[in-house]
Structure formats: structure tokens, C-alpha cells
Amino acid sequence: MDLRITCIPGDGIGPEIIAEAKKVLDTVAKQYGHTMHYTDILMGGASIDVHGVPLTKEAVETAKSGDAVLMGSIGGDTTTSPWYRLEPSLRPEAGLLAIRKELNLFANLRPAVLYDELVAACPLKDEIAAAGFDMMIMRELTGGLYFGEKRTIEENGVRKAVDTLVYDENEIRRIAIKGFDIAMKRRKKVTSVDKANVLASSRLWRSVVDEVAKKYPEVTLEHMLVDNCAMQLVKDPAQFDVILTENMFGDILSDEASMVTGSIGMLASASLNDTKFGLYEPSHGSAPDIAGKDIANPIATVLSAAMMLRYSFDLDREADAVESAVREVLQSGYRTGDIMAEGCIKVGCRQMGDLLADRIK
Ligand code: IPM
Ligand code: MG
């Protein structure tokens, strides 16, 4: 099979972790008889430095012409990087938001799994960690506060800023359908997270999710308020299967969920539209403080590449091979600095990539 993959190395540790993901993908290609066609595009700070904007039309067109996008990370240090002296619409993150919108990537899947090998890195109490957890956060990605009307004004000498949280029923329905579809392939439970005791958008969210649920009688649906969910994630994460939520809540809850897995360096993500097309990226940021030092953890990017094989190319065996390689390397005791534990062998980013590629069967 020919796989046309657009790569966005991006900023900070992005180029290093993308290089390791490609190493693993190339091994998969060799062993399973596929051909990888990579095309790089610039986004974020890397694009600002060359083109003065975080994403060009040409880059979007290139991305649209491929089968899937594999991204590293974008952005820099928000207090020191000159990128953050630009107006907000020209900063690195605006490129990421624009590509999500341009490619209509409304469904963001962020799986948070506690690997047995990383239980020691889990910051939760032993008895909670021992129960393990395996959840999928389904975050709506092209609506809500991120894309609603924004303005900053001055009224009678008082500065005022407005962000608008807006959802229509179609936006809610399509993400809810994806959430229930995914739940059908998992443990058949959906926890829809909102703030219906305060927000009108959440009340609409809840009623549309209830409508969609009627078509999935096998799936158990529960509604949970977002503040309670934040608490439940550290109290009893094992209760969750699919968490279905809007853009901003999903942003916050997915960082929390990633930390309880032991490290944000392990969390993959897929952003999908209505077709097989998707953008795959680690859930973590560009970590400018450790960029270029060969100490970043490439596993979240490698696992994102596995999600790409599974969701965009229907290559389940190949995706399984990548995920098994990750487990085997962890079982053999290899760790990057962020997940290092006593008695383990500390390796850098490149060596972790080599170890993973070596274990592709
Ligand atoms: C994420 C990130 C982005 C978001 C930022 C970089 C705009 O935090 O993918 O979770 O808020 O969506
Ligand atoms: Mg985030």
C-alpha cells in the first residue's frame, strides 16, 4: 500500500520526535510491504520564521492532498519567544487551530491508558493505580470557545474582553455519534461531560447527546458535570470508558488524564473528520526547554503514528505491531527521563526510537 503522509515537524522537540516516528514507520513499511511517501510542511513558529505566518495556504493544500498528517508539536516559550510578541492571529497556535478548522477535524481522540510498566510513575494512590484505567477522551475540536467570536474592547476607559461559547446541534450530534461509535468498539460506556447547571450550550449538548444515545441501546450513557469529572479522574479513573466533551473542557481534562498515566510524554491523539483523513499528534507540547538535547520521549508520537495506521489506513496489524513494540520496550526496562524509575535503563530520544524500530515484528 502507498501511504501519503504529510509531516509537520514543527517547533521545539517536534523535529526530534517526528524523526523517531518515521524511523518506526519505515520499519513497519519494510516488514509489511508498504511504501511511505512523506511530504514536510511548515507550521507554527517554523512557518512564522520563514513566511511570517504560522500556516500558509500552500501548506494547507499540501496537507489536503495527502492521506493523513503526522505532527510533532508547535509553539515556544510564551514569555521569552518573539513569536508571542506578534498579534494572536499570527502566533504559532493560530496555525494549529487553522489547520484543524481547514481540514474539518472535529473529533479529537485522546486515549489515556495506564501501562502496567508505568504504574510506579502514576501519581495516584497505590490502590487507585492498581485498579488501572483505559479511557478515550473524545474532545470536540472545531467549535466552542476556541472558535466563537472574540473581541477586546474598551468601554468608558475599562478594558473588556469577550469570548463566545457557541455550539449548534449539528456540531454536537456529529461528535456524539463518533463517541458512541467508538464506545461500541470498547466497553460500551459514554460519560458526557458538560456544565449544564450553568451553561446554555451545555444544556443543548446534553439534550442532543440524549437523542443520539437512543440509537445506541447497548451503550450506557451518563452525564457528568465537568468539575466533578476533574475530581473523578483522580479519585476513580477506572470508571471511565469514553469521555465525550466540548473543546475547552476536553483540552483541560485531557492534560489531567495524561498526567495520571504517569507522563504526558505517553499520550497520543488523533483528530478526525468525516472521512478516513486525520491529523495525528502527541497530546503534549513542544517542550522548548528540552529541545535539541535528545532527551524527549518520542513514544506519544510513535503511538500517534500507530493511530494513523489504524484510523486512516485500516492497517490494524501494523498498528498492533507498533503498540506491542512500545509495551516490549517498556517491559525490557528502557525509559526516557520523564518516565525514568529506579532499576530502569535511561535512554535518549534517538535510542528509544531505535529500540522501538528493532521490536517491530
Ligand atoms: C492541545 C493544545 C492546543 C489546544 C493549543 C496548543 C492551542 O493545548 O492540543 O491540547 O488548546 O487545543
Ligand atoms: Mg491542551
Side-chain angles (χ1 to χ4, degrees), residues 145-320:
L145 276 170
Y146 279 60
F147 294 94
E149 194 196 325
K150 307 180 190 310
R151 71 207 137 88
T152 309
I153 45 181
E154 204 170 305
E155 268 175 9
N156 308 323
V158 179
R159 288 171 302 156
K160 186 168 163 182
V162 184
D163 292 287
T164 321
L165 203 182
V166 50
Y167 272 108
D168 69 38
E169 59 177 312
N170 297 326
E171 292 174 293
I172 301 169
R173 193 172 298 112
R174 64 183 183 175
I175 184 78
I177 290 171
K178 282 247 189 221
F180 280 88
D181 283 344
I182 300 262
M184 283 298 289
K185 296 187 185 157
R186 296 174 48 100
R187 300 194 307 279
K188 299 194 172 66
K189 180 177 175 193
V190 170
T191 305
S192 176
V193 174
D194 62 37
K195 189 71 184 172
N197 53 348
V198 178
L199 303 175
S201 56
S202 282
R203 289 189 281 270
L204 180 64
W205 180 278
R206 210 175 257 223
S207 70
V208 175
V209 171
D210 278 334
E211 284 160 26
V212 171
K214 292 200 181 97
K215 304 217 167 69
Y216 297 84
E218 286 174 60
V219 177
T220 308
L221 168 67
E222 70 178 8
H223 297 285
M224 191 178 276
L225 295 173
V226 62
D227 46 353
N228 184 26
C229 182
M231 182 183 82
Q232 295 296 332
L233 275 172
V234 291
K235 192 171 161 240
D236 177 19
Q239 70 182 288
F240 296 112
D241 180 15
V242 173
I243 292 182
L244 173 65
T245 193
E246 64 93 49
N247 203 345
M248 179 81 158
F249 297 158
D251 178 45
I252 298 168
L253 295 176
S254 62
D255 262 29
E256 187 187 3
S258 72
M259 200 52 233
V260 298
T261 68
S263 167
I264 194 162
M266 298 292 298
L267 220 79
S269 89
S271 304
L272 308 174
N273 62 19
D274 260 329
T275 69
K276 286 271 157 205
F277 189 91
L279 180 147
Y280 301 84
E281 55 166 321
S283 292
H284 60 70
S286 60
D289 50 321
I290 61 162
K293 297 186 178 157
D294 190 33
I295 55 174
N297 183 353
I299 293 180
T301 317
V302 169
L303 290 173
S304 302
M307 290 185 89
M308 176 180 77
L309 295 171
R310 199 182 296 289
Y311 292 108
S312 283
F313 299 106
D314 286 319
L315 297 174
D316 286 330
R317 272 188 324 149
E318 289 81 342
D320 289 344

Side-chain angles (χ1 to χ4, degrees), residues 93 96-97 100 110 139 146 251 281:
E93 285 72 10
L96 179 57
L97 299 188
R100 287 173 178 169
R110 298 188 165 183
R139 168 187 176 196
Y146 279 60
D251 178 45
E281 55 166 321

